[in-house]
Amino acid sequence: MTMDRRSFIKLVGGASTVALAGCAGGPAVSSGAAAEIMPKSGRRVVVIGGGYGGTIAAKYVRMLDASIEVVLIERNRQYISCPFSNYYIGGLMKDLTPLTIGYDKLAADHGVKMVYEEVTGIDAAAKVVATKGGTLAYDRLIVSPGVDFRTEEIEGYTAETPSLMPHAWKAGEQTILLRQQLEAMPDGGKVVISMPLTPYRCPPGPYERACLIANYLKTQKPRSKLVLIDANPDVVSKKPLFTKAWNNYYNGIFEYVPGKKVTKVDAQHKTLVVEGIEDHQGDVVNFIPPQRAGRIAVAAGLVGDDKNWCPVDATTFESTKHKDIHVIGDAAVAGAMPKSGYSANSEAKVCATNVVALMNGKEITELSGINVCYSAISSSESISVAGVYRVEGGNIVGVPNSGGISPVDFSQAKLEHVYAESWLKNILTEMSA
Amino acid sequence: MTRRWSVWALATGALAMSAAAHAAPPTAAMLANACGGCHGTQGASAGPSMPNLAGQSKKALVEAMKAFKSGERSSTVMGRLTKGYSDADIVAMSEYFSKQKPTAYAQAVDAKKADKGGMLQEKHCGRCHVDDGQDFKDDAPIMAGQWLGYLQIQMDEYISGKRKMSEKMAEKVKHLSADDMDAIAHFYASEKMGETK
């Protein structure tokens, strides 16, 4: 790609842009003006978010029709997977390298054009995405923004809270911080995890985290305690399996406290307050706030009546709020498909298939989707949930008499632990190569 | 003519937009794409315990999925997943994967074991897993370039009886030790197949 003046302006950015533009004799461009990043010549799909959904949508649109230009906007140069980040927190992974991918091969092998910018807005009528570095026009937009936190519902929650009480629900610095706090805690300390009401990202994630932190305490700090405070009335995912793991492996270390919704935090004193009255204090507090669709989906008016999640067509994943904008992954309301990394991968392929069909005036194809999700229960055993999905009466439903969880006797748990590692390898390779 | 064409395109476009009811039933690609999260894009697996499906024999894939579905072959998630598909879906997915370009990721094998396995397989396996496992006869799968981790799990399951062998395979395997089986796995994993990544 030859560097045109506009992309040059974007690269040098900021205040110096004005002076340089002036020297070149062209019209002065202020840093606040919405300069176009890459002028659109042919047909273009723009994808927002380079995670489990966005990377796959971008790649599959290119695989299905290389005449469509695909621009993937992502704010970070590297992506760190949330699935398996509990391995790192529990000390089963020495660093985040196995969870980290870049975008170079997606660009080189599939011709996906990367724009590393923060999206600031979407103009659905003009079909333009605004970023801090300029604008991008699209024919169709695929939004895969993940989740954001509804911290305004929690009394006392400030910008500083996550640095004292990490959520570690977006992988990266927060993941590292939670492990550091666990490592710094003396033996005999107390760890508290708090999880929100459904729906939230990764239904089994908090329960897996409880297993792996309990496993760390059992092996490294055996006089310590762990409490999981669940806002839900009961375990919402893989219940018989997690319950058995807690009873069999972590009895005496771990306590499960259901039906307790945290409404207030006091980060300085590492204290959570349930329904305004009951205090839970810990030496390490992992507070996972309630969630909604990623910020950009909310700002662009893609959320439904609940103001939290994005309603979509079950076949095309096109937003029911705005034409030509599709929403996939955790942010979307995808019927029976859970908010998991594998669902996002599967939804992205369905969405890409139908985006390409719509752009080519071809017939769209009904969804066939899968979710496969492993959770580690110890350093050598994992359990799984699997599901097959299709559309019935306009809704995504699980195919009857299929799917389900691992056998409760743990007879496959060692084998599933091995398969889980290949799951990670394959899904991250799909996203990055 | 041009005008009529554009009117037609608009009309069908509008129909497609209006309701999911006008969507075609899932194609083979739609069905198979969903498998890629675990088996790799178009069945080219990057995970050492997940088998490559790209370029595999259609017949072997159909047999495997039907055996998972009926419970005849033991599995973890595959039994639960295959129950979500009709026999026609299974045939469509198998055909799709069989037509994909074989791709094998580079993997480390023990050269000594692979040499030993190479000699053993010719006598004991080569009648069905023909051409050093690069091709197949009847319902036997292609073995060449398959992941070592996956092959070792299968060998263990055959030896323990968790996975049942066909009569003709059982007849051959009774002359082989566990070490022999492992050597054969190393040999097949060492074989180049299609594009190497």
Side-chain angles (χ1 to χ4, degrees), chain A residues 50-219:
Chain A
Y52 273 79
T55 52
I56 297 297
K59 169 173 158 174
Y60 274 72
V61 169
R62 291 288 300 167
M63 280 168 52
L64 290 160
D65 188 341
S67 75
I68 298 172
E69 181 189 35
V70 175
V71 182
L72 174 56
I73 312 175
E74 163 58 44
R75 104 187 104 186
N76 301 312
R77 297 264 163 178
Q78 288 188 315
Y79 176 76
I80 302 170
S81 168
C82 223
F84 281 73
S85 61
N86 284 332
Y87 276 55
Y88 176 81
I89 291 166
L92 303 182
M93 197 176 263
K94 77 172 172 22
D95 56 40
L96 295 176
T97 310
L99 305 181
T100 307
I101 58 167
Y103 301 99
D104 291 351
K105 286 196 73 166
L106 209 54
D109 296 356
H110 297 282
V112 173
K113 294 180 178 168
M114 293 302 304
V115 169
Y116 297 102
E117 285 290 353
E118 173 124 17
V119 174
T120 54
I122 298 166
D123 184 337
K127 296 170 83 163
V128 169
V129 176
T131 75
K132 283 182 178 164
T135 64
L136 278 159
Y138 63 82
D139 293 304
R140 282 189 181 269
L141 176 66
I142 301 174
V143 184
S144 188
V147 296
D148 203 356
F149 298 116
R150 283 151 45 198
T151 54
E152 72 284 356
E153 294 176 12
I154 307 299
E155 194 185 335
Y157 201 99
T158 67
E160 194 198 18
T161 305
S163 65
L164 298 166
M165 289 181 172
H167 53 74
W169 218 240
K170 292 184 182 188
E173 282 175 24
Q174 279 280 301
T175 316
I176 293 168
L177 179 62
L178 180 55
R179 172 152 154 183
Q180 282 171 346
Q181 291 190 353
L182 289 167
E183 284 173 343
M185 185 186 82
D187 190 6
K190 183 179 172 188
V191 182
V192 179
I193 305 173
S194 159
M195 60 180 284
L197 284 169
T198 56
Y200 58 87
R201 157 181 282 178
C202 188
Y207 308 117
E208 178 194 58
R209 180 170 290 178
C211 288
L212 294 186
I213 291 179
N215 181 66
Y216 168 76
L217 298 176
K218 184 180 172 180
T219 51

Side-chain angles (χ1 to χ4, degrees), chain A residues 191-307:
Chain A
V191 182
V192 179
I193 305 173
S194 159
M195 60 180 284
L197 284 169
T198 56
Y200 58 87
R201 157 181 282 178
C202 188
Y207 308 117
E208 178 194 58
R209 180 170 290 178
C211 288
L212 294 186
I213 291 179
N215 181 66
Y216 168 76
L217 298 176
K218 184 180 172 180
T219 51
Q220 305 294 321
K221 290 165 185 172
R223 294 191 295 117
S224 308
K225 300 279 180 224
L226 169 67
V227 180
L228 172 59
I229 300 171
D230 191 344
N232 298 285
D234 204 349
V235 180
V236 298
S237 176
K238 305 176 187 171
K239 184 188 167 187
L241 301 166
F242 282 121
T243 307
K244 181 172 172 179
W246 296 334
N247 289 335
N248 284 15
Y249 301 156
Y250 308 116
N251 197 15
I253 289 179
F254 175 68
E255 185 191 357
Y256 176 64
V257 181
K260 304 275 185 183
K261 191 175 148 191
V262 171
T263 50
K264 183 180 172 183
V265 297
D266 177 355
Q268 293 298 339
H269 299 98
K270 301 219 169 152
T271 300
L272 303 172
V273 185
V274 172
E275 306 289 1
I277 44 166
E278 185 182 317
D279 283 6
H280 288 266
Q281 203 258 339
D283 298 293
V284 175
V285 179
N286 169 212
F287 176 64
I288 306 167
Q291 293 154 38
R292 66 158 71 91
R295 181 188 48 78
I296 193 63
V298 179
L302 294 167
V303 292
D305 296 339
D306 66 0
K307 305 224 176 2

Side-chain angles (χ1 to χ4, degrees), chain A residues 39-52:
Chain A
K40 185 170 95 67
S41 48
R43 299 181 302 160
R44 178 191 279 172
V45 171
V46 171
V47 181
I48 299 175
Y52 273 79

Side-chain angles (χ1 to χ4, degrees), chain B residues 49-68:
Chain B
S49 63
M50 264 313 113
N52 278 315
L53 305 179
Q56 184 52 273
S57 138
K58 177 183 165 185
K59 193 163 183 185
L61 291 172
V62 171
E63 297 279 318
M65 281 197 269
K66 283 188 176 171
F68 284 136

Side-chain angles (χ1 to χ4, degrees), chain B:
Chain B
M1 188 63 203
T2 313
R3 196 180 135 73
R4 282 184 62 189
W5 171 259
S6 64
V7 167
W8 175 83
L10 273 173
T12 49
L15 269 177
M17 285 286 302
S18 65
H22 294 100
T27 58
M30 172 64 80
L31 294 164
N33 281 346
C35 311
C38 288
H39 286 283
T41 301
Q42 292 167 332
S45 174
S49 63
M50 264 313 113
N52 278 315
L53 305 179
Q56 184 52 273
S57 138
K58 177 183 165 185
K59 193 163 183 185
L61 291 172
V62 171
E63 297 279 318
M65 281 197 269
K66 283 188 176 171
F68 284 136
K69 189 177 172 181
S70 70
E72 184 192 326
R73 180 170 168 184
S74 80
S75 71
T76 55
V77 298
M78 282 304 292
R80 292 176 249 157
L81 291 170
T82 45
K83 285 185 180 71
Y85 299 98
S86 68
D87 286 357
D89 292 338
I90 285 174
V91 170
M93 285 188 271
S94 300
E95 182 162 332
Y96 178 89
F97 284 120
S98 74
K99 286 179 175 167
Q100 304 306 312
K101 191 173 60 179
T103 305
Y105 281 78
Q107 57 179 321
V109 295
D110 183 319
K112 268 192 183 162
K113 286 184 183 175
D115 280 350
K116 179 187 167 192
M119 287 184 282
L120 287 168
Q121 65 84 28
E122 204 159 335
K123 183 179 171 198
H124 297 280
C125 321
R127 202 174 287 176
C128 298
H129 302 291
V130 296
D131 287 348
D132 293 346
Q134 304 258 353
D135 210 341
F136 63 93
K137 210 177 101 190
D138 301 330
D139 59 351
I142 292 169
M143 304 294 278
Q146 193 52 277
W147 279 106
L148 179 60
Y150 169 73
L151 292 174
Q152 287 174 325
I153 291 168
Q154 300 312 306
M155 297 295 198
D156 285 350
E157 292 195 350
Y158 277 134
I159 292 165
S160 71
K162 193 174 169 190
R163 182 173 172 186
K164 296 252 181 314
M165 283 179 247
S166 65
E167 271 181 41
K168 57 187 174 181
M169 184 167 168
E171 191 57 38
K172 295 288 184 185
V173 166
K174 72 180 182 194
H175 304 292
L176 296 168
S177 68
D179 282 349
D180 292 342
M181 296 279 276
D182 188 50
I184 292 167
H186 278 266
F187 169 76
Y188 285 132
S190 74
E191 287 275 271
K192 297 276 173 284
M193 191 69 185
E195 189 192 330
T196 305
K197 281 203 175 183

